[in-house]
Amino acid sequence: MSYSIFQSGRSRRNGTFHNLESGIEEQIVALRDELAELTRLVGKSSRHQGEKIRSQAGAGYEELLGRSEDLLRELQHGYERGATEMRETVRKHPLATIGAAAAFGLAIAFLARR
């Protein structure tokens, strides 16, 4: 008789455990669905943020490229003005230019000996 008492107790416990197990499985399925939805939303948000950052970086790159081209033009004009001024100075004062070049050469030679 003890077997039947344990058997009926087990069946009641198994029924309760079965219900509990079913409830947990349903919760797990619901959590998986919510996690999948969250993953989808995060992915969508990440793509959107990536596109936004890419767009901003592209605009910044274009601006930087434009400013660097302007700076390069300014440097070229400055170099051309300096070269023109140097030619004019050499034409107006040839002896002073030769003297300055000789003094500069002597200074370099003096420093190179040390």
Side-chain angles (χ1 to χ4, degrees):
M1 234 185 178
S2 66
Y3 182 76
S4 63
I5 293 172
F6 289 129
Q7 185 66 23
S8 64
R10 280 188 188 159
S11 67
R12 272 186 272 147
R13 276 189 272 155
N14 285 343
T16 305
F17 287 138
H18 180 69
N19 291 341
L20 183 62
E21 188 176 295
S22 296
I24 291 173
E25 286 176 1
E26 289 172 5
Q27 288 178 351
I28 289 172
V29 169
L31 286 173
R32 282 183 181 158
D33 292 343
E34 289 178 16
L35 186 59
E37 180 65 20
L38 182 62
T39 302
R40 186 186 66 78
L41 289 173
V42 167
K44 184 178 178 182
S45 176
S46 296
R47 279 191 302 276
H48 177 68
Q49 288 291 353
E51 290 169 2
K52 184 178 176 182
I53 290 170
R54 194 176 302 121
S55 173
Q56 290 173 346
Y61 173 75
E62 293 297 326
E63 181 183 343
L64 182 63
L65 187 60
R67 288 186 0 203
S68 65
E69 289 173 350
D70 292 342
L71 180 61
L72 181 60
R73 272 189 234 105
E74 288 178 25
L75 288 172
Q76 287 173 338
H77 290 301
Y79 174 76
E80 289 170 0
R81 275 192 308 253
T84 302
E85 289 177 11
M86 185 187 297
R87 279 190 223 110
E88 291 295 321
T89 302
V90 169
R91 283 187 192 141
K92 289 180 182 177
H93 309 287
L95 292 177
T97 303
I98 292 172
F104 184 72
L106 286 173
I108 296 292
F110 180 72
L111 291 174
R113 282 185 153 193
R114 284 187 164 198

